[in-house]
Amino acid sequence: MVNRSPLSPAINPVEENRGGLIGKPMNRVDGPLKVTGRAKYSYEYRGLKDTAYGFIVGAGIGKGRISGIDTSRAEAAPRVLAVLTYQNAPKQAPPHPRENGANRFDRSEPFLFSPDVRYYGEPVALVIAETYEAARHAAGLVEVRYVKDAQAKFDLAASQSQAYKPKGVNAGMKTDTAEGDFDGAFAAAPVKIDVTYHLPHEHNMPMEPHATQAVWDGDQLTLYSGQQIAATAHSSIAKTLQIPPERVRVVTPFIGGGFGSKVPLHAQAVLAALGAKVVRRPVKVAQTRPQMFANTNHRPECLQRMRLGATKDGVLTAIAHDVWSQTTPFDEFIEQTAAFSRVMYAAPNRAHRHWGVILDLPSSDIMRAPGEEPGSVAQECAMDELAVALDMDPIELRIKNEPKDDPETHLPFSSRSLVECYREGARRFGWSTRPKRPATLRDGRWLVGYGVASAMFPTYMRPSAAAVRVNADGTAVVKMDMTDIGTGSYTVLTQVAAESLGLAPEKVTVELGDSKLPKSSGSGGSFGAASAGSATLLACEHVRAQIAQLATKDRRSPLAGADAATIALRDGHVVAGDKSEPLSAVLSRLAPAGVEGKGEHQGAQQPAKYSSHVFGAQFAEVGVDIDSGEIRVRRMLGVFGSGRILNPKTARSQLIGGMIMGIGAGLTEESIVDPRDGSFVNHDLAEYHVPVNADVPQIDAICLEEQEPYANPLGIKGLGEVGIVGVAAALANAVYNATGIRVRKFPITLDKVLGGLPDTGST
Ligand code: MOS
């Protein structure tokens, strides 16, 4: 599993000085802090004197205007300190423009700035009291009268005919791409699939609700706030409050999951800052779980029409992927759903297009594998439908249409192991035992079926800087504003630094999650390990170069006169050939204050010379109860080609977590909109069904050995998101194989198969 990728020759300490740490399944360095409760999350900082509590009052209509607001009863309630509304909230910057794709997370996000209500649950007041209970009680005493907008729109299908063309889609991708003549080729194709899939709104729902503590010290603001990217949260709050960035600090060392929803600055963060300013005390605001459905991210509902044209022997000649997804009048987010089909399969004639459908709902936003996850559902289910139409094995169909280069850009792939993933997965999963005809395999009361689907996620990089200090006592500290959202950043950065510096991991401390530290990628887009890891590697190389200079120029050192470029750091020693001196001896003599190195990685090379993505194959086995239609996942296996793996243990956890989350997209998760007011009605975890480990008794994820020479100095591709991609399709395809029923409206709940199950009598 451990992959040794060639490193850029300019920076080779890791390869030269293998302590063997990179690639080892090291336990999480922050594990003990977490299991003993000493890891502090945003809401848990204590000892801030006189902390007060804010509770958000959300709008009770979907769209309209506040016609009257009476806070007098709330203000008179015991222990209440203040009630903020649009009438008295401190001044903020105007809201960001509707379209601002590239700066999506670095922009003003005001709240309580207008009597207009844009979506159900939008904050209309913040009640601040001395206790949480008093604030929450008084929130119920705020009286708001509204004028509703009778024209409000909440239903995607009903508004599909009013869809518009956005200028671009998320992640800077093109709205539409095309090549050849799709219409002509599709019309001429002997075998055609033309199907539409309907995917619901989904909510990210991390375990840790969104929470912020705000503290003003004079004109200096500190926000303790779970944020995936400290730097954008930092500039976003500064812009919102119209204060210089140097007067703001964002602290976010531990984050209980995010899946994209802790990238933007959300209401509780802004309101905590405003509230703390008004009451001149630290203020904590946490969103309740139901509030998170209105005031954090959700993946937009979408309709996807997928057309495939093929020859009789299964060669794709035409692919069209048309997507309509929800966005809003005040913020444009268009999920890049057709991006998946742009890179998966060869076909000379193709079209991949997006439309936005404006609804009066909370803004849609990024959720794990934005674009790739929903896009994989349509492409990969349609491939299964095509395999059925051709009477072909679905794996062989995919392998037959493997592209020679990136089908959209025609750049060579930096590495692509999809075929190997399918071959290895098929062998391990026992694909040959799959029932060739649907509804033919029974296990007691269960109809059993197998399904596969491809996974893909682009390799992104973001500029990142790191500072590394090596002390004379042989310890080292890595500092950057990188975050660890549960993924293992602390651990993999410890591995990179310890190996690069030739130190034991216990000697290395990693400090993250503070905007005063060097600016990094943060966590998102599966770019964290590659970006922050590369910056750390470069900072360690800077340390090594300085120590090499010191040692080779010092007559007292056994290394005197050696070529500085050949000096390595290994096992706590400074080494050249067969000569060495303990690192602590070199430093105490020549740099008693230690040596500090800085590293900066500029992110992805532009223009790109290679197309770089993680590819994978998802395998699923499901059972469908012959009488009740209950669907249970019996087994899942994911096989991925993700370049070099820094830590197989945290990598596997990430992948398995993504795959389990994919069960939600396939079978359980759906945020249901009330057609009267646009609220998400199933707004708690009792009714919004997030899958858990128990929803899949057998699961495994493996990474193939893969050389990734181009993506970054570490040769890694990132795998925070790819695990979720393709799972929903693999499950849908398995349900078809089990039952012969093709469900195209997700999630696949038992009611959608119940009517079509074979009447074979109860067991
Ligand atoms: Mo990911 S949706 O960019 O956290």
Side-chain angles (χ1 to χ4, degrees):
M1 168 136 35
V2 178
N3 186 33
R4 302 273 183 255
S5 194
L7 290 167
S8 149
I11 32 169
N12 57 9
V14 173
E15 197 68 7
E16 293 293 298
N17 309 309
R18 302 215 62 85
L21 259 182
I22 294 181
K24 286 276 151 56
M26 200 171 110
N27 286 336
R28 286 166 190 272
V29 297
D30 50 337
L33 287 179
K34 287 187 171 171
V35 297
T36 57
R38 283 176 294 156
K40 279 201 171 46
Y41 293 81
S42 303
Y43 204 73
E44 299 176 327
Y45 284 90
R46 295 192 205 289
L48 301 173
K49 209 167 165 296
D50 294 331
T51 299
Y53 297 79
F55 194 87
I56 296 170
V57 181
I61 63 163
K63 187 185 190 184
R65 199 174 166 83
I66 297 170
S67 56
I69 188 158
D70 183 353
T71 58
S72 56
R73 283 177 65 214
E75 279 161 357
R79 312 188 77 172
V80 169
L81 300 168
V83 180
L84 301 190
T85 68
Y86 78 93
Q87 292 168 327
N88 64 350
K91 189 168 159 7
Q92 302 160 77
H96 57 76
R98 178 171 182 273
E99 301 167 31
N100 59 349
N103 299 318
R104 182 159 184 81
F105 306 116
D106 178 6
R107 60 186 193 179
S108 62
E109 294 284 4
F111 289 90
L112 307 180
F113 62 92
S114 152
D116 293 333
V117 173
R118 302 174 296 178
Y119 55 89
Y120 188 96
E122 179 177 11
V124 294
L126 180 77
V127 177
I128 305 161
E130 284 173 340
T131 66
Y132 175 79
E133 290 76 11
R136 188 165 189 167
H137 168 70
L141 304 176
V142 174
E143 290 168 27
V144 189
R145 289 186 308 282
Y146 303 94
V147 179
K148 277 198 210 182
D149 181 341
Q151 305 303 314
K153 295 186 174 71
F154 307 121
D155 186 86
L156 183 81
S159 289
Q160 191 186 6
S161 60
Q162 291 143 55
Y164 76 102
K165 262 302 154 195
K167 284 201 199 86
V169 300
N170 186 49
M173 294 190 188
K174 293 188 181 119
T175 305
D176 293 350
T177 55
E179 190 170 301
D181 168 21
F182 170 77
D183 290 330
F186 186 68
V191 185
K192 296 190 222 312
I193 296 293
D194 181 355
V195 284
T196 297
Y197 301 92
H198 189 169
L199 277 55
H201 300 287
E202 294 167 4
H203 277 79
N204 308 48
M205 290 298 128
M207 284 238 275
E208 179 207 21
H210 294 57
T212 303
Q213 295 196 56
V215 188
W216 288 90
D217 180 5
D219 60 6
Q220 297 284 326
L221 171 65
T222 303
L223 282 188
Y224 300 89
S225 190
Q227 301 289 156
Q228 292 177 228
I229 304 179
T232 50
H234 175 257
S235 64
S236 184
I237 189 73
K239 282 179 186 171
T240 305
L241 303 179
Q242 298 178 301
I243 56 177
E246 56 276 13
R247 297 215 318 245
V248 182
R249 182 176 163 207
V250 173
V251 182
T252 178
F254 292 102
I255 301 159
F259 314 115
S261 74
K262 288 173 187 164
V263 177
L265 193 69
H266 284 304
Q268 91 290 339
V270 177
L271 294 174
L274 296 177
K277 190 169 186 168
V278 169
V279 302
R280 298 168 182 276
R281 293 164 65 158
V283 168
K284 294 187 178 194
V285 184
Q287 295 202 39
T288 62
R289 189 64 63 175
Q291 287 175 337
M292 288 166 66
F293 279 77
N295 290 300
T296 68
N297 296 26
H298 75 270
R299 195 194 298 282
E301 181 180 6
C302 69
L303 289 157
Q304 300 183 55
R305 182 183 184 193
M306 196 82 218
R307 281 171 291 173
L308 303 176
T311 63
K312 287 201 175 117
D313 56 354
V315 176
L316 285 168
T317 54
I319 300 175
H321 190 180
D322 290 318
V323 184
W324 294 263
S325 60
Q326 177 253 325
T327 184
T328 65
F330 54 89
D331 187 11
E332 181 178 79
F333 173 81
I334 307 289
E335 201 173 11
Q336 67 274 36
T337 301
F340 181 87
S341 57
R342 285 175 183 162
V343 289
M344 286 314 300
Y345 304 110
N349 305 288
R350 47 202 311 138
H352 310 261
R353 301 176 286 223
H354 298 89
W355 285 265
V357 179
I358 295 177
L359 299 178
D360 298 301
L361 295 173
S363 182
S364 55
D365 214 317
I366 57 170
M367 175 163 157
R368 203 173 201 167
E372 284 75 16
E373 191 285 319
S376 70
V377 175
Q379 171 77 75
E380 295 300 306
C381 287
M383 286 300 269
D384 202 67
E385 302 206 37
L386 180 62
V388 171
L390 292 162
D391 195 21
M392 225 177 134
D393 181 278
I395 294 180
E396 296 311 316
L397 174 64
R398 287 170 171 87
I399 291 174
K400 193 159 209 170
N401 289 288
E402 176 75 359
K404 280 195 281 297
D405 56 16
D406 184 310
E408 182 195 359
T409 62
H410 296 290
L411 291 170
F413 286 110
S414 61
S415 51
R416 172 164 168 142
S417 308
L418 181 62
V419 173
E420 293 81 355
C421 291
Y422 271 116
R423 296 277 185 233
E424 180 64 13
R427 190 182 67 74
R428 291 185 185 235
F429 199 72
W431 183 249
S432 59
T433 62
R434 164 185 180 259
K436 301 291 175 282
R437 296 275 168 271
T440 55
L441 181 60
R442 281 284 290 270
D443 177 9
R445 56 187 301 114
W446 301 95
L447 287 161
V448 177
Y450 295 12
V452 288
S454 301
M456 178 280 282
F457 195 81
T459 303
Y460 293 118
M461 288 282 287
R462 289 285 186 278
S464 281
V468 172
R469 163 167 289 279
V470 178
N471 300 308
D473 64 357
T475 59
V477 184
V478 178
K479 293 187 181 196
M480 60 199 313
D481 78 353
M482 181 58 191
T483 53
D484 188 331
I485 62 175
T487 43
S489 308
Y490 282 108
T491 309
V492 297
L493 294 174
T494 299
Q495 290 174 272
V496 170
E499 181 164 328
S500 307
L501 299 169
L503 297 174
E506 310 79 66
K507 300 279 184 193
V508 175
T509 308
V510 175
E511 285 180 23
L512 304 178
D514 189 328
S515 63
K516 72 179 187 196
L517 300 176
K519 199 193 259 195
S520 77
S521 63
S523 300
S526 299
F527 48 59
S531 305
S534 295
T536 302
L537 188 69
L538 292 168
C540 292
E541 163 56 18
H542 188 210
V543 167
R544 186 204 65 81
Q546 293 175 70
I547 292 173
Q549 286 298 333
L550 292 172
T552 54
K553 291 210 171 102
D554 180 34
R555 281 185 295 114
R556 289 162 292 179
S557 172
L559 303 160
D563 176 2
T566 66
I567 293 283
L569 303 176
R570 192 183 301 149
D571 298 331
H573 284 67
V574 186
V575 183
D578 54 3
K579 299 205 177 87
S580 78
E581 188 180 8
L583 176 65
S584 52
V586 174
L587 291 183
S588 17
R589 193 169 68 247
L590 301 170
V595 170
E596 179 150 333
K598 292 198 188 316
E600 201 163 345
H601 194 276
Q602 296 308 322
Q605 225 184 17
Q606 292 300 338
K609 294 198 188 110
Y610 295 91
S611 170
S612 185
H613 307 74
V614 182
F615 292 94
Q618 304 276 12
F619 291 77
E621 178 186 319
V622 302
V624 180
D625 187 296
I626 191 82
D627 291 319
S628 72
E630 178 187 358
I631 301 163
R632 299 296 300 177
V633 183
R634 292 157 64 104
R635 290 192 295 146
M636 291 203 325
L637 170 68
V639 184
F640 304 90
S642 185
R644 181 193 212 178
I645 300 301
L646 293 177
N647 181 329
K649 188 178 271 186
T650 52
R652 183 172 177 276
S653 289
Q654 274 285 63
L655 289 167
I656 286 178
M659 290 166 68
I660 293 172
M661 199 166 176
I663 298 175
L667 305 180
T668 66
E669 292 185 44
E670 175 177 23
S671 308
I672 298 166
V673 176
D674 189 323
R676 297 166 301 180
D677 60 14
S679 67
F680 290 111
V681 288
N682 54 335
H683 57 196
D684 58 42
L685 296 185
E687 295 195 73
Y688 182 86
H689 294 154
V690 176
V692 296
N693 295 42
D695 288 307
V696 50
Q698 266 190 56
I699 184 167
D700 204 0
I702 59 166
C703 294
L704 301 182
E705 289 221 9
E706 187 183 68
Q707 301 288 317
E708 170 50 61
Y710 307 114
N712 51 67
L714 283 162
I716 63 181
K717 288 183 171 174
L719 32 67
E721 296 173 80
V722 72
I724 194 175
V725 181
V727 172
L731 293 170
N733 298 341
V735 168
Y736 174 81
N737 186 241
T739 63
I741 302 167
R742 182 66 67 179
V743 179
R744 301 193 185 94
K745 192 174 188 328
F746 287 75
I748 306 176
T749 44
L750 54 80
D751 50 302
K752 294 172 188 163
V753 295
L754 200 49
L757 291 170
D759 186 11
T760 53
S762 185
T763 45

